[in-house]
Amino acid sequence: MQRLIPTLRNDQVDEALISVINSLQICAKEISFRVGQGELAGVLGSTLSENIQGETQKKLDILSNQLIKEILLECQHVRAVASEEEEGIVLGHDNGKYLVAFDPLDGSSNIDINSMVGTIFSILPVPENNSGDVDMFLQPGRNQVAAGYILYGPSIMLAFTTGNGLRMFTLDQTVGEFLLTKKDLQIEAETSEFAINMSNFRHWQEGMQLYVDDLLAGTSGPRAKNFNMRWVAAMVADVHRILCRGGLFAYPWDARSANKPYKLRLMYEGNPMAWLVEQAGGLAHSGEERILDIQPTDIHQRVGIILGAKHEVETCLRYLEGSQSGDKTV
Ligand code: F6P
Ligand code: MN
């Protein structure tokens, strides 16, 4: 079975980028070890964690952030990192060619119940004449050169793209290597499965409410088929399911707060997941535009997300268009 780094070399991926990805692979092994230790994580250390010894009682999301930051910044090709857990960017090496944005431990409330969590990452090129400040990161997702996630589940999986299709690797814990287990994954255009936090129903736009009403109506409604719902409540796990067996995932616009109308983040969650889904033949849309075309204005900005099976996302968007005149400033 093919290992991660030789697979990238086969694809003629830039050696500097391979080096960044290798650093992420080291992070993945370290975090998976800690996640696997569960409540023992604060007691047992591991060889790679010497730099953060004495801080092992920290929550795993904070610890994961620290680990990724430190390991990535050791890589000479990393110009800067941006993390969901950091207010500002953290600068690395002046001549680094790449920027890495990451969500260190997505779905971290699942930690308390020993359920799936993951690390999501997005790698961008450093723009020419870069300013050395946060503006470097404000590029649309279509500029990404690599993106993926590591899922800490019953097995540890890395889903990954450099624009050459979507591949999945599984960590062989006996040898400590990610081995290629799935390639050229494609999401079926049709589906009868959806994932959404139904408890937010009353906060959605009318179009979203009508769409979900019609899914729930099953064979007796206008869609004339029954839909099943699945919701892990960790985006990384919900998107993983969609990549593996299809479906639609949505965390749409939400009227709870005029200033913070969405839940998920564009740079750490939306962009990397959107690219993986598009690589697998699916669609990823904010409700207003293709996610990968959004010009970010803030590294922490939030975005509406509707992604997955092509025809189902298109159907959902048609419902939303029908309510485009709805008041979005509620
Ligand atoms: O990162 C945010 C996150 O944990 C996602 O992984 C997940 O989809 C979402 O929040 C769940 O939030 P809620 O339970 O509020 O719907
Ligand atoms: Mn997250």
Side-chain angles (χ1 to χ4, degrees):
M1 247 182 256
Q2 246 184 320
R3 288 174 295 137
L4 174 63
I5 301 298
T7 309
L8 296 172
R9 295 223 163 93
N10 257 353
D11 285 353
Q12 303 191 323
V13 173
D14 173 33
E15 280 298 324
L17 182 56
I18 292 181
S19 167
V20 180
I21 294 163
N22 191 42
S23 296
L24 285 165
Q25 167 176 229
I26 294 169
C27 300
K29 291 180 206 171
E30 175 68 13
I31 296 171
S32 71
F33 171 78
R34 286 166 179 279
V35 169
Q37 291 295 109
E39 295 199 33
L40 304 175
V43 181
L44 301 175
S46 108
T47 48
L48 283 169
S49 64
E50 277 151 20
N51 47 355
I52 50 162
Q53 264 179 11
E55 298 180 18
T56 43
Q57 300 305 322
K58 280 193 174 168
K59 290 189 82 172
L60 269 169
D61 47 359
I62 308 295
L63 206 61
S64 303
N65 179 54
Q66 205 169 332
L67 271 166
I68 300 173
K69 195 172 64 173
E70 289 179 7
I71 293 173
L72 279 178
L73 292 176
E74 275 172 23
C75 173
Q76 56 170 320
H77 303 292
V78 174
R79 177 76 180 92
V81 300
S83 162
E84 193 178 313
E85 298 286 344
E86 300 275 336
E87 209 178 304
I89 64 165
V90 186
L91 289 174
H93 302 264
D94 288 349
N95 296 323
K97 290 165 68 175
Y98 297 108
L99 305 167
V100 189
F102 58 90
D103 179 352
L105 207 58
D106 177 66
S108 54
S109 60
N110 274 0
I111 282 287
D112 300 339
I113 55 161
N114 194 23
S115 186
M116 281 188 285
V117 288
T119 297
I120 311 174
F121 59 89
S122 157
I123 308 181
L124 290 161
V126 172
E128 275 178 36
N129 305 322
N130 74 88
S131 55
D133 62 28
V134 67
D135 294 355
M136 295 189 290
F137 279 88
L138 303 181
Q139 308 179 39
R142 60 171 185 269
N143 285 10
Q144 292 172 106
V145 290
Y149 61 79
I150 301 116
L151 180 70
Y152 310 112
S155 62
I156 315 302
M157 292 191 75
L158 167 70
F160 183 73
T161 188
T162 50
N164 196 12
L166 168 63
R167 295 202 172 107
M168 287 190 188
F169 298 81
T170 305
L171 182 62
D172 180 341
Q173 311 220 28
T174 58
V175 292
E177 291 276 358
F178 278 101
L179 304 179
L180 182 63
T181 43
K182 282 192 177 116
K183 61 179 179 181
D184 302 325
L185 275 168
Q186 288 292 307
I187 304 171
E188 291 275 333
E190 307 288 344
T191 185
S192 50
E193 204 161 84
F194 70 104
I196 196 162
N197 185 340
M198 284 295 296
S199 70
N200 295 328
F201 189 97
R202 69 192 181 284
H203 303 298
W204 299 333
Q205 284 172 267
E206 195 191 358
M208 199 69 205
Q209 293 176 338
L210 293 173
Y211 168 69
V212 172
D213 271 342
D214 287 353
L215 298 182
L216 299 182
T219 47
S220 52
R223 300 294 306 274
K225 73 174 179 178
N226 290 328
F227 285 81
N228 192 12
M229 200 194 92
R230 284 282 181 273
W231 181 251
V232 182
M235 185 201 196
V236 68
D238 282 309
V239 172
H240 182 72
R241 183 189 57 256
I242 280 160
L243 293 173
C244 292
R245 72 164 197 215
L248 175 136
F249 168 90
Y251 219 113
W253 184 86
D254 185 317
R256 276 171 293 181
S257 155
N259 299 323
K260 211 173 78 175
Y262 304 107
K263 171 99 187 183
L264 301 177
R265 315 272 183 156
L266 175 62
M267 312 275 313
Y268 317 113
E269 294 165 322
N271 279 338
M273 293 311 202
W275 198 22
L276 295 177
V277 166
E278 286 200 4
Q279 284 285 306
L283 290 185
H285 208 273
S286 72
E288 283 169 352
E289 62 185 307
R290 178 184 176 228
I291 289 176
L292 294 179
D293 285 336
I294 297 174
Q295 172 60 51
T297 52
D298 182 318
I299 48 166
H300 295 306
Q301 88 187 56
R302 295 169 193 259
V303 67
I305 295 182
I306 302 157
L307 60 75
K310 185 171 183 290
H311 292 168
E312 196 55 39
V313 173
E314 285 167 351
T315 303
C316 177
L317 293 175
R318 277 197 296 276
Y319 278 80
L320 287 177
E321 274 162 27
S323 73
Q324 287 289 286
S325 58
D327 181 12
K328 288 185 153 196
T329 58
V330 188

